[in-house]
């Protein structure tokens, strides 16, 4: 029974993470009741990356893959934000 609960939690985290990456304003509206603008959208996307990395870390296998996923994805995203806005 607990395994099913953990699988459901991991899948819902991944779905929320992907949604935060794609439509951060909608997720902000649904979860917080406020539209996300400016830097809040960037923070929401980093949070989405963190949720996806948490899902990767929960997958059977070495947990360090989740941390590597998080570090690499956030580094690439923040580099993109810095270069695109600059």
């Amino acid at each position: 029974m607990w395994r099913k609960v953990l699988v459901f939690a991991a899948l819902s985290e991944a779905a929320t993470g992907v949604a935060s990456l794609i439509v951060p304003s909608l997720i902000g509206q649904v979860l917080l009741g406020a539209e996300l603008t400016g830097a809040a959208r960037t923070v929401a996307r980093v949070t989405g990356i963190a949720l996806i990395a948490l899902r990767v870390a929960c997958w059977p296998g070495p947990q360090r893959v989740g941390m590597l996923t998080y570090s690499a994805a956030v580094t690439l995203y923040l580099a993109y934000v810095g270069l695109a806005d600059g």
Side-chain angles (χ1 to χ4, degrees):
M1 179 181 122
W2 286 109
R3 182 162 175 80
K4 290 181 182 180
V5 171
L6 291 174
V7 167
F8 175 76
L11 291 176
S12 64
E13 287 168 4
T16 304
V18 170
S20 291
L21 283 172
I22 297 171
V23 284
S25 293
L26 176 65
I27 296 302
Q29 188 72 21
V30 171
L31 295 178
L32 305 172
E35 181 149 352
L36 303 178
T37 59
R41 295 179 78 174
T42 301
V43 171
R45 287 191 169 121
V46 169
T47 303
I49 292 169
L51 287 172
I52 293 168
L54 181 62
R55 170 63 179 103
V56 171
C58 290
W59 194 258
Q63 287 81 20
R64 63 182 167 268
V65 174
M67 192 65 198
L68 178 64
T69 301
Y70 173 77
S71 297
V74 167
T75 300
L76 291 172
Y77 176 66
L78 291 178
Y80 167 75
V81 168
L83 293 173
D85 286 346

